[in-house]
């Protein structure tokens, strides 16, 4: 199952709606990329208008600011014509917007438990990588590494080795578990029956969400492609 597709024409995100045979509530997944064409974010907001509840991500910490510097810096390259996800406003939605990410204070404590090298290496490299893309990046070079399948665990920054394993546990695995816990509350809460729940999280978090919904007997009832970046 493809979550993000990268081709010679551009990059697309797969939107999935999951339904259960015995429940009328549904979950619609919007795998997000943090820098894209403005039209991508506009269409996400348009489709979210059909949801009753929207679960969002976001951890505001000093470390988080450094980690996100990579895409914040290259988004300033006006020749690319890309915008940040932060420009996407959900204020026009009538849905109940809920923050479904970990608490910022808890994230800082969790990050502080990492060994010295892991704790400082990635935050130090991210701004450098972002500056490189700002001056030398192209739409094609940025989109090339975005491809993501359900069972693909490769990451542009977090390679599968011991050096970055603990970082991945904090940035991905731990936050995945928190999001799944909130999803389970919606599944078990009879008050959300007959409601459409949208999940707006980074694409790499969607692997865990998809696998969990499958384990709860939710099946893909509909899917669509949204263009993230056109070449």
């Amino acid at each position: 199952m493809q979550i993000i597709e990268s081709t010679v024409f551009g990059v697309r995100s797969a939107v999935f709606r999951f339904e259960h045979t015995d429940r009328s509530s549904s979950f619609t997944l919007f795998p997000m990329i943090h820098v894209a064409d403005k039209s991508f974010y506009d269409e996400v907001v348009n489709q979210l208008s059909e949801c009753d509840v929207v679960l969002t991500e976001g951890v505001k910490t000093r470390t988080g600011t450094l980690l996100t510097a990579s895409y914040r810096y290259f988004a300033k390259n006006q020749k690319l014509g890309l915008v940040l996800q932060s420009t996407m406003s959900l204020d026009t939605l009538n849905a109940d917007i809920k923050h479904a990410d970990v608490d910022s204070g808890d994230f800082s404590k969790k990050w502080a438990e990492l060994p010295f090298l892991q704790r400082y290496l990635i935050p130090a490299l991210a701004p450098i990588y972002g500056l490189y893309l700002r001056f030398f990046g192209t739409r094609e070079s940025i989109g090339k590494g975005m491809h993501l399948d359900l069972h693909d665990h490769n990451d542009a920054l977090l390679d599968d080795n011991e050096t970055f394993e603990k970082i991945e546990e904090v940035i991905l695995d731990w936050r995945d578990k928190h999001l799944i816990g909130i999803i389970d509350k919606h599944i078990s809460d009879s008050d959300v029956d007959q409601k459409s729940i949208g999940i707006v999280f980074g694409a790499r978090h969607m692997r865990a969400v998809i696998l969990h919904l499958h384990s709860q007997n939710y099946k893909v009832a509909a899917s669509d492609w949204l263009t993230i970046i056109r070449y």
Side-chain angles (χ1 to χ4, degrees), residues 1 18-23 27 29 150-151 176 180-181 183-184 187 206-220:
M1 177 185 288
F18 283 81
E19 296 181 354
H20 195 287
T21 55
D22 298 327
R23 294 180 64 88
F27 292 88
L29 277 52
L150 178 60
H151 297 290
D176 289 347
I180 287 172
I183 291 173
D184 281 343
I187 291 176
M206 293 302 181
R207 293 179 297 200
V209 174
I210 291 172
L211 292 173
H212 184 70
L213 288 175
H214 278 158
S215 73
Q216 300 301 309
N217 295 319
Y218 277 83
K219 307 298 181 184
V220 176

Side-chain angles (χ1 to χ4, degrees), residues 95-210:
D96 182 11
I97 311 298
K98 295 184 177 181
H99 180 256
D101 213 327
V102 298
D103 178 77
S104 296
D106 291 340
F107 181 87
S108 295
K109 292 177 182 178
K110 194 80 170 178
W111 190 266
E113 295 174 359
L114 293 173
F116 181 86
L117 178 62
Q118 287 89 334
R119 190 164 69 247
Y120 290 103
L121 181 60
I122 291 297
L125 292 177
I128 297 173
Y129 180 62
L131 287 173
Y132 170 80
L133 291 177
R134 178 177 179 179
F135 294 106
F136 303 105
T138 64
R139 283 178 165 240
E140 290 82 358
S141 65
I142 292 170
K144 185 177 180 181
M146 289 185 180
H147 182 85
L148 182 68
D149 290 332
L150 178 60
H151 297 290
D152 178 15
H153 290 280
N154 293 325
D155 193 290
L157 291 177
L158 304 177
D159 296 325
D160 187 16
N161 57 52
E162 293 182 1
T163 303
F164 299 117
E165 182 178 352
K166 292 186 179 297
I167 294 178
E168 186 171 0
E169 289 178 2
V170 177
I171 294 178
L172 289 175
D173 300 343
W174 176 53
R175 293 169 65 202
D176 289 347
K177 292 177 182 178
H178 182 84
L179 173 59
I180 287 172
I182 292 178
I183 291 173
D184 281 343
K185 290 180 180 179
H186 282 278
I187 291 176
S188 61
D189 189 348
S190 60
D191 291 338
V192 302
D193 200 34
Q194 300 183 354
K195 286 192 175 182
S196 173
I197 302 164
I199 303 177
V200 186
F201 260 72
R204 297 187 185 280
H205 295 284
M206 293 302 181
R207 293 179 297 200
V209 174
I210 291 172

Side-chain angles (χ1 to χ4, degrees), residues 37-67:
D37 284 323
K38 182 177 182 300
S39 57
F40 169 68
Y41 298 126
D42 289 343
E43 183 56 29
V44 169
V45 173
N46 180 54
Q47 294 198 22
L48 283 172
S49 64
E50 300 179 4
C51 297
D52 301 303
V53 178
V54 176
L55 305 181
T56 64
E57 68 176 330
V59 180
K60 296 182 179 180
T61 65
R62 182 178 180 181
T63 298
T65 300
L66 290 173
L67 291 172

